[in-house]
Amino acid sequence: MLVQDVMRFPVITVGPGVTLEEAYHLLLEKGIRHLPVMEEGRLVGIITDRDIRLATSHLNPKGPCPGCARVAEVMTQEVVTAHPLDPVEEAARVMRERKIGCLPVLEDGALVGIVTGIDLLDALLKLTGVTEPSGRLEVRLPDRVGELARLTGFLAGRGINIHSLLSYPEDGDRVRAVVRVNTLETHLLAEGLRQEGFEVLWPPKKPW
């Protein structure tokens, strides 16, 4: 899944000369938290609802003045951006490392979209398959060639279709696989997997 698959467009923007009061009303009206700042077709900054609240707080040394202060005085000028063809996991990594809530999306210098933390959560839901009726299996595998194929082969042999499969490494040379399948009878599947020597973490064994 790529950034272009989850980004929002067209993008609501403001100019650097807009007052903070006007920018804040726009955020409230549109139900958003981030406003890219455009000047002559170029992205020159970004401002958030938090920036405006801090700038207009009584704790601000210059004093609160939402009607006279301008976006250009408060906006972040060094904007971290994404490209439409970036993988969504790369966008998530950048946002996490930079501790930012959005990435304007640029293509050939033009603003073509914006991706936020909520958009990435939506992407995670799609990637894990939870938006479709399905059952969930979680299996710990040895981190060696053929183990994932053995798991998918077991499921295929029982006519089970895989909606999604995510895996990630654990300590101790092991891999955890989270599988969404086209059946809700996951307890029966789990017992079959255990009989074949798989370490099934979910669903847990039923108490007898």
Side-chain angles (χ1 to χ4, degrees):
M1 185 176 292
L2 305 177
V3 164
Q4 67 183 9
D5 299 320
V6 300
M7 70 184 188
R8 305 182 188 193
F9 60 91
V11 187
I12 300 168
T13 65
V14 292
V18 169
T19 67
L20 298 186
E21 183 176 25
E22 292 170 328
Y24 190 65
H25 283 312
L26 183 58
L27 289 170
L28 291 178
E29 177 189 343
K30 301 298 183 180
I32 56 178
R33 296 178 53 204
H34 312 87
L35 283 171
V37 184
M38 303 293 292
E39 186 173 31
E40 297 180 354
R42 294 185 305 109
L43 179 68
V44 296
I46 192 163
I47 190 168
T48 70
D49 56 347
R50 183 173 181 270
D51 296 330
I52 296 174
R53 288 197 302 270
L54 290 174
T56 56
S57 166
H58 288 281
L59 299 177
N60 182 2
K62 297 181 180 180
C65 187
C68 59
R70 305 289 170 176
V71 164
E73 302 172 39
V74 177
M75 69 183 187
T76 298
Q77 297 185 38
E78 296 182 3
V79 185
V80 183
T81 64
H83 187 275
L85 298 182
D86 288 343
V88 292
E89 62 269 26
E90 176 63 16
R93 182 191 65 80
V94 170
M95 289 172 62
R96 178 66 181 88
E97 288 184 355
R98 298 297 188 97
K99 297 181 180 179
I100 54 179
C102 78
L103 291 171
V105 183
L106 297 183
E107 186 173 22
D108 297 328
L111 181 67
V112 295
I114 188 169
V115 62
T116 69
I118 295 296
D119 299 323
L120 294 180
L121 284 175
D122 288 341
L124 176 62
L125 294 177
K126 291 180 181 179
L127 286 170
T128 55
V130 298
T131 55
E132 300 293 332
S134 58
R136 182 181 188 273
L137 295 168
E138 190 165 344
V139 183
R140 180 178 284 133
L141 302 169
D143 188 10
R144 59 174 178 251
V145 174
E147 287 298 317
L148 195 57
R150 189 165 72 95
L151 173 61
T152 57
F154 172 92
L155 296 173
R158 283 155 180 77
I160 301 298
N161 188 34
I162 297 174
H163 285 181
S164 71
L165 192 158
L166 298 176
S167 66
Y168 59 93
E170 290 188 321
D171 294 335
D173 297 324
R174 295 182 297 180
V175 173
R176 187 174 298 199
V178 181
V179 189
R180 284 276 172 181
V181 293
N182 68 331
T183 177
L184 299 179
E185 300 295 332
T186 52
H187 279 283
L188 291 175
L189 276 179
E191 288 308 310
L193 285 165
R194 291 186 178 102
Q195 290 173 13
E196 292 294 320
F198 289 96
E199 183 182 358
V200 181
L201 304 176
W202 184 269
K205 286 186 177 181
K206 285 185 176 181
W208 300 104

